[in-house]
Amino acid sequence: MPKRVVPEERRRRRRPTRSGRVLSESLIVETALRLLHEHGSAGLTARRLGLALDCDPSTLYRYFRGMDDLTLAIGDALIGRALHGWRPAGPWREDLRAIGLRIHTAYLSHPQAAVLTASRVSGRANELAADEAVLDVLRTAGFPLPEAVRVYHAFIDTTLAFAALDAASLALPDAARRADEDMWHSAYARLPAATHPRLAEAAPLLAARMVTSAYPTALDMLLTSAGDRLAGPS
Amino acid sequence: MPKRVVPEERRRRRRPTRSGRVLSESLIVETALRLLHEHGSAGLTARRLGLALDCDPSTLYRYFRGMDDLTLAIGDALIGRALHGWRPAGPWREDLRAIGLRIHTAYLSHPQAAVLTASRVSGRANELAADEAVLDVLRTAGFPLPEAVRVYHAFIDTTLAFAALDAASLALPDAARRADEDMWHSAYARLPAATHPRLAEAAPLLAARMVTSAYPTALDMLLTSAGDRLAGPS
DNA sequence: CTCCTTATGCCAACGCCATTGACCTTACGC
DNA sequence: GCGTAAGGTCAATGGCGTTGGCATAAGGAG
């Protein structure tokens, strides 16, 4: 029933909960991240969060407009962590590879938030800094502007797309995730060669490979193609 | 409470619902797709589906083990539509490009469903057929088995990842989607060159390009890299 | 130091949701 | 046409997010 959520910086009164704990936006976000880690994708509920913070679930609505607002706040924190401390260090290809893997890893460490935020354009500081860094690596490497933009677009969207896809698998309820993974050992592994010869011969390799992320492979293929263009018509 | 769901092809009795409608797996899936279009990706619930089909929600459990099983069936239907009528026709590169674009297009035509299903592995008929087709194109082109599996993995996951990413944007509420798109004309276009020189110089190109899908570009880069390997060490 | 205002925590309730067990009815194989 | 069990329906369970009303204590004003 709070019509209005008081922004964190305007908060004056800090009234402790019945257990003596003083709440804050960042405390709630940190606790939410912990819950997601401990209890899996279904582990973040207002009720459970209230339990962990020893406050009533409805109290959270004094800090966020709803669970969705809370999730966005969590996602915003992720972007900052991904590139925290990164500096360009080597050849452009290594730098881009490092940036991509950092973003991918950061999102996958909190899959539930990643699923909701990977497809959004926030225009906030950390997002701008990441984009500037990618473009700078490409331009410094000698890519002409239109080509740099082309590669940037493919690079950043491939990275975010894989982050979202791989995060979605991790964010599934345990039962569903296991069922999806087992599929490569069950349905795919037992196909008759008569109807599915190509899948039959590939089954063992698929069972080993498909449970991993294709992002490193796809990223390398993308960088190889970009390198061809840089070297080729120069 | 149905311990066991009777597979569609073994169904003998077709008892109509109280309103006289005869249910079937495909009727349920089609209705679910319609609901997703009308009510958004959170709009598919057993209750609403029961309302639309004029049957009790629990009846659905005679056809699917649960809502998760239903979403897998929806995803398989999308893949089926994507490759309906497709036949290998030309050089492997054209064939793969066609398959990828068909899948991408099919998913984007049902964004709300795509968001739910793009990251799942169902092992159902249409999914198997699509995978068999991709592997067949690669093997016929002369890729050795391990390399074919590598390219297959990167190809199919890149395609599904972009389908999910692009679908997520389309599935956003109108206001949020427009806000995301305008970002490239507002925040990004007005950055001072002092702090973000690379973004500043690229802004006009970004505004034109970032509102489109990077999938065609990324796909071409992937296929180019695969082609290099096929031609190179042969 | 006291008083008043109101921010903020708490309680109870609402209306969703998926899922299940028991029941009942009717379509189909014989 | 009869017996069986497939398949539709009902009612109930325990979760969820969210909200209106209320109680209380924090912190500024004097």
Side-chain angles (χ1 to χ4, degrees), chain A residues 2-81:
Chain A
K3 318 161 192 248
R4 230 204 176 47
V5 171
V6 177
E8 187 73 4
E9 63 274 13
R10 298 188 84 87
R11 240 163 231 283
R12 330 270 312 177
R13 307 189 183 179
R14 315 234 60 139
R15 179 177 173 184
T17 74
R18 94 196 93 153
S19 66
R21 198 147 185 191
V22 175
L23 298 181
S24 70
E25 191 173 300
S26 65
L27 175 64
I28 295 175
V29 168
E30 294 300 315
T31 306
L33 280 174
R34 189 164 56 75
L35 280 191
L36 284 169
H37 254 159
E38 288 174 4
H39 294 91
S41 68
L44 180 61
T45 72
R47 289 172 146 79
R48 223 198 289 253
L49 194 46
L51 211 61
L53 290 164
D54 203 5
C55 73
D56 191 88
S58 66
T59 302
L60 302 171
Y61 289 79
R62 302 280 185 200
Y63 291 83
F64 301 98
R65 264 189 292 280
M67 292 303 285
D68 199 66
D69 197 20
L70 169 60
T71 313
L72 290 180
I74 294 170
D76 191 56
L78 284 189
I79 304 176
R81 298 187 182 188

Side-chain angles (χ1 to χ4, degrees), chain B residues 1-2 4-6 11 14-19 21-25 28 46-47 49-51 53-67 70:
Chain B
M1 137 278 206
R4 195 157 153 49
V5 171
V6 177
R11 240 163 232 282
R14 317 235 59 139
R15 178 179 171 184
T17 75
R18 92 197 96 155
S19 64
R21 197 143 183 195
V22 175
L23 298 181
S24 69
E25 191 173 302
I28 295 174
R47 287 171 139 75
L49 197 43
L51 211 62
L53 289 164
D54 202 7
C55 72
D56 192 89
S58 65
T59 303
L60 302 170
Y61 290 78
R62 301 277 185 204
Y63 290 83
F64 302 97
R65 265 188 297 278
M67 293 303 285
L70 171 59

Side-chain angles (χ1 to χ4, degrees), chain A residues 79-89 98-99 102 126 129:
Chain A
I79 304 176
R81 298 187 182 188
L83 288 194
H84 183 252
W86 178 85
R87 293 289 177 279
I99 293 178
R102 267 174 174 255
N126 289 314

